[in-house]
Amino acid sequence: MESLESRFYNFNNKKLSNIESKNLKDSKKIENIESRFYKFLLALFILLNLTHIINANGFKIQEQSLNATALSSAYVAGARGADASYYNPANMGFLNDYGENKHEFEFDFSIINIPGFKFKVPSTNQGLSSFTYMEYDIAPLRTLRDSCRVNGVPLCPGVGPAIYNGVMGGNLIPTTVPLQHSPPDLQVVDGSTGDTNFMLPKFFYKSKNYSGFTFGASFIAPSGLAMKWNGKGGEFLQDVMIFLIEFAPAISYTYKDIFSVGLGWRILYGMGTFNNIVYVPLGISSEQSKNDISTDDKQNNIWLPEQKPVSGKNCTPSFDPDILQSLPGGLIPPEMESMLDMVKDNPVLYPILGLPPNASQLDVIKAMVAKIQTCLVGTAQVIQQSNGSDLSIKGWRIGASVKVGKGGMFSILYNSDVPMRFEGNVVADTVIGGPVGSVRMEAPLYLYVTMPQILTVAYAHEFKLPNEAKLRLEAVYERTFWSQGRKFDTEFGCDSNLFGKDVCTKFPFVDMPGSKLPFFTASPGSVPESFEQAQLMGMVGLADFTAVKMGNGWVDTDTFRLGMSYIGKKLRLMVSCAYDKAPVPQTAIGIPDSDGYMIGVGAKYNFRGFDIGAGLSQTFKDSSRSVYAGTGVGQLRIATFSIGYRW
């Protein structure tokens, strides 16, 4: 056998030597063609990548190459060629499916379609009501009661005692003003999405095996989320886009074409924009409890009938009405307006209460009321517009493969988690309504997203067929650790020089000394319009943002994949199926997802060192257990086309 191989080698070597000079010009032509071919692919890739940045969608896209699309990603132990640099870098050093040790490049282009659908979802808008408490200054009231007499002669008969008795008895001037700011939605609201289509380009490369060492790289988009959601049911996501691209250089070492290990470095860049509406809890009824008035308040002549509110997380900062520039509508009920008019229409009372000439209702309030505080129950509408981006170089993947018996291959692959912190800006309007109005916050935004750890175990077995063909079967088990790391957590930058460390280190704020942010603006004509920045921040701090975190309750998931490939000299045919469990809670409002059932088919044709092919993947989403349950079965369709070259 050795002698035959030696003669065959010498024969070919002489033949090549004889025609070498003859083919020199042809070789240069081929090099020019290859150079133009690569430049064309590069230009095409850049153009399509820009398109993808605009249209990216879907949170986890595992099917990146044609092989993975057709095999439902049952392509780990059986990974060969250029795309092994991504799916299992350990396999780059083995001979490819044609028995060659060559450089390989592959360009893939996917079209992804998500048909639109309608759904019903429980509402998170509980409505919002408030109770405004007023503390009255007793000293002017006593003066009003006692000084309406001069030498025993009444100057304002019945007026002073009536006002005093009304406040002290709580009959004429109310101490608590209830308001309904916004009504709740129906318990179940409608939502919908339109058809979504987008394109996804990527490339893969691996070198020849040089004394056991092989080098490769991949450029793909592993994750993204972008879809417009309509109606009340879609407000939570409305218009959210997160896009991640990954560049991953890789290296492997193969020992005697039996055992191989591979290591890849994951460099991820992410960007996102978020325009959505959330209904944030501001408090519950039990937090409206009140405690007894303090002795100090009694001694300072400040008195509130019965009790005063606890300064809890559902109450705005109390304030002195002297800061008000105008009287917001809805703050004063009609019965109190009558009493205020009675006072301001009696000039005799002006010197007693220290009122200016032609006093207004607001002047009377400033003279009689010491403090005002509003406590809220329900949910406030928060309208958010934000953006952010990040570059992370902290990710890596490692794999190992070993040949088992005759035709078997066992592989194990681990992808590390990749923590990312998107930095950008946010503009958020907290809408309360009524005299409280709304408060706008402009602040630095930090969004935390962790690409999860993934552990994959795979086994592939090849069976020889006639005409030098073979049949490969592969089974893959995949464990994704979604429960670990941060998912869509948000924090807002806060200057502790302005607001203090005790405020700027409390969620959802993070300390940023010297930033002079966040900046707050109250709606015109509202009570908070006269507040200082710290008081406005206190109002925004009433919102319990932990209740609307998109990443709450995610769980680790198992995925099972089966793939079958027929590999001939020219033609490759592939078919597959898979089951992918959804990580998100099915009974909570958040990122919508459901368990997926996948099927895939595909084909490749090999000629003159080129591979061209197409693959199709169909995922059926079982939304029967999800709060986003709609009519019919959810679907995700992927069509991938590829062209590869070996040299």
Side-chain angles (χ1 to χ4, degrees):
M1 187 68 179
E2 246 178 60
S3 175
L4 180 63
E5 289 178 353
S6 177
R7 289 197 299 271
F8 180 76
Y9 171 78
N10 290 333
F11 170 77
N12 279 283
N13 192 40
K14 289 177 182 178
K15 185 178 179 181
L16 289 172
S17 297
N18 291 334
I19 63 174
E20 185 176 11
S21 59
K22 181 181 177 182
N23 289 341
L24 181 60
K25 292 183 180 180
D26 291 339
S27 176
K28 290 182 179 179
K29 288 180 181 179
I30 292 173
E31 287 180 5
N32 290 334
I33 292 172
E34 288 182 357
S35 175
R36 290 196 295 271
F37 174 71
Y38 292 142
K39 289 178 181 178
F40 167 74
L41 285 182
L42 178 61
L44 180 63
F45 177 78
I46 292 173
L47 175 62
L48 294 177
N49 190 52
L50 290 175
T51 306
H52 172 56
I53 288 176
I54 297 172
N55 297 293
N57 194 342
F59 182 73
K60 178 186 175 185
I61 305 172
Q62 190 78 350
E63 291 69 39
Q64 297 291 328
S65 69
L66 183 150
N67 292 328
T69 301
L71 292 170
S72 300
S73 293
Y75 185 64
V76 179
R80 300 288 190 277
D83 54 354
S85 60
Y86 174 75
Y87 284 96
N88 187 1
N91 281 19
M92 293 190 301
F94 294 121
L95 298 178
N96 66 19
D97 286 324
Y98 306 107
E100 303 167 333
N101 176 27
K102 289 186 174 183
H103 296 277
E104 299 190 36
F105 176 86
E106 181 176 316
F107 174 79
D108 292 80
F109 176 68
S110 296
I111 300 173
I112 302 179
N113 167 258
I114 302 177
F117 59 93
K118 297 180 180 180
F119 58 90
K120 294 182 181 292
V121 66
S123 173
T124 57
N125 179 14
Q126 304 170 13
L128 184 63
S129 59
S130 71
F131 296 88
T132 297
Y133 299 91
M134 298 187 184
E135 297 182 353
Y136 290 85
D137 192 337
I138 294 178
L141 290 172
R142 286 176 176 167
T143 301
L144 186 61
R145 179 194 64 185
D146 300 333
S147 298
C148 274
R149 297 174 178 273
V150 178
N151 296 324
V153 178
L155 299 179
C156 44
V159 174
I163 294 177
Y164 179 84
N165 292 332
V167 174
M168 299 301 290
N171 297 322
L172 298 180
I173 300 182
T175 56
T176 303
V177 181
L179 286 176
Q180 181 73 37
H181 296 267
S182 60
D185 287 331
L186 297 175
Q187 289 186 349
V188 177
V189 292
D190 295 323
S192 66
T193 70
D195 290 348
T196 302
N197 300 282
F198 56 92
M199 299 174 288
L200 183 66
K202 48 256 171 165
F203 73 75
F204 308 90
Y205 165 78
K206 84 162 195 71
S207 72
K208 293 174 60 177
N209 184 323
Y210 293 97
S211 300
F213 289 96
T214 311
F215 306 91
S218 60
F219 191 98
I220 56 98
S223 298
L225 172 72
M227 185 181 287
K228 289 189 176 182
W229 299 75
N230 308 313
K232 282 284 186 179
E235 287 182 331
F236 186 77
L237 289 171
Q238 202 169 43
D239 187 5
V240 177
M241 186 277 285
I242 295 177
F243 172 71
L244 294 175
I245 56 176
E246 175 182 327
F247 175 69
I251 183 173
S252 71
Y253 178 75
T254 305
Y255 179 72
K256 292 186 177 181
D257 202 42
I258 296 175
F259 174 76
S260 184
V261 293
L263 179 66
W265 179 28
R266 305 177 64 191
I267 304 171
L268 276 77
Y269 172 76
M271 59 177 291
T273 59
F274 317 91
N275 301 313
N276 65 328
I277 297 174
V278 293
Y279 293 92
V280 184
L282 293 183
I284 58 178
S285 297
S286 61
E287 292 173 340
Q288 292 288 346
S289 60
K290 301 183 287 290
N291 52 23
D292 292 333
I293 187 169
S294 67
T295 304
D296 291 338
D297 284 343
K298 290 179 180 179
Q299 292 176 351
N300 293 328
N301 281 329
I302 296 176
W303 178 84
L304 179 68
E306 299 178 359
Q307 299 164 318
K308 66 179 183 180
V310 175
S311 184
K313 68 178 182 180
N314 60 317
C315 297
T316 64
S318 62
F319 65 93
D320 189 322
D322 284 343
I323 69 171
L324 294 177
Q325 304 298 318
S326 61
L327 189 60
L331 181 64
I332 304 302
E335 58 269 27
M336 188 173 183
E337 287 188 3
S338 300
M339 181 59 68
L340 294 176
D341 288 339
M342 184 182 2
V343 174
K344 74 182 185 67
D345 291 339
N346 283 273
V348 176
L349 303 176
Y350 283 27
I352 300 172
L353 297 176
L355 296 172
N358 301 315
S360 64
Q361 288 184 347
L362 179 59
D363 292 325
V364 177
I365 290 175
K366 289 180 178 180
M368 299 175 59
V369 179
K371 289 183 181 179
I372 300 176
Q373 186 176 32
T374 298
C375 295
L376 302 146
V377 174
T379 54
Q381 185 187 62
V382 179
I383 304 170
Q384 302 179 119
Q385 297 179 342
S386 54
N387 61 78
S389 62
D390 185 34
L391 175 67
S392 176
I393 59 175
K394 300 177 182 179
W396 51 275
R397 68 170 51 92
I398 187 170
S401 294
V402 60
K403 289 187 176 180
V404 181
K406 190 176 181 179
M409 179 77 78
F410 175 79
S411 297
I412 185 169
L413 181 71
Y414 173 77
N415 285 273
S416 75
D417 60 349
V418 185
M420 303 190 72
R421 173 171 142 161
F422 289 73
E423 298 186 16
N425 300 287
V426 61
V427 176
D429 293 304
T430 301
V431 182
I432 296 176
V436 182
S438 64
V439 178
R440 166 167 291 193
M441 178 181 71
E442 300 174 51
L445 170 70
Y446 301 96
L447 174 71
Y448 297 86
V449 176
T450 300
M451 297 301 298
Q453 303 173 60
I454 303 176
L455 178 64
T456 305
V457 180
Y459 179 77
H461 200 92
E462 294 180 357
F463 302 90
K464 290 186 177 180
L465 299 177
N467 300 320
E468 299 183 19
K470 55 188 174 182
L471 181 71
R472 178 185 295 144
L473 301 177
E474 180 164 356
V476 175
Y477 167 73
E478 186 178 290
R479 179 74 170 177
T480 306
F481 298 90
W482 290 107
S483 65
Q484 302 178 20
R486 306 177 72 174
K487 292 166 287 295
F488 307 106
D489 291 355
T490 54
E491 290 180 347
F492 308 123
C494 176
D495 190 344
S496 56
N497 296 325
L498 296 176
F499 300 100
K501 278 192 173 294
D502 57 333
V503 173
C504 290
T505 55
K506 186 182 299 183
F507 183 86
F509 297 104
V510 59
D511 193 10
M512 282 184 57
S515 64
K516 297 184 179 180
L517 292 169
F519 184 78
F520 299 91
T521 308
S523 56
S526 65
V527 171
E529 186 181 20
S530 304
F531 283 8
E532 297 179 353
Q533 289 290 298
Q535 290 175 301
L536 292 174
M537 185 178 191
M539 288 187 61
V540 174
L542 300 180
D544 182 11
F545 285 93
T546 59
V548 293
K549 289 167 65 176
M550 292 187 186
N552 284 341
W554 287 40
V555 298
D556 299 339
T557 61
D558 297 315
T559 303
F560 303 91
R561 308 179 189 275
L562 293 174
M564 181 173 66
S565 303
Y566 166 82
I567 304 169
K569 289 183 178 180
K570 297 291 184 181
L571 182 65
R572 177 196 298 255
L573 300 174
M574 295 164 280
V575 64
S576 64
C577 62
Y579 166 74
D580 187 17
K581 183 175 175 57
V584 302
Q586 299 298 291
T587 58
I589 305 298
I591 300 295
D593 196 8
S594 303
D595 295 350
Y597 301 85
M598 289 169 276
I599 56 173
V601 295
K604 266 188 175 182
Y605 185 73
N606 168 39
F607 69 102
R608 297 182 181 180
F610 286 89
D611 287 305
I612 60 170
L616 299 173
S617 173
Q618 173 83 44
T619 301
F620 300 95
K621 291 286 188 177
D622 176 17
S623 62
S624 59
R625 296 184 298 110
S626 172
V627 294
Y628 287 93
T631 56
V633 178
Q635 299 183 58
L636 169 66
R637 302 163 182 161
I638 303 176
T640 300
F641 307 90
S642 77
I643 180 169
Y645 183 65
R646 309 186 306 278
W647 70 99

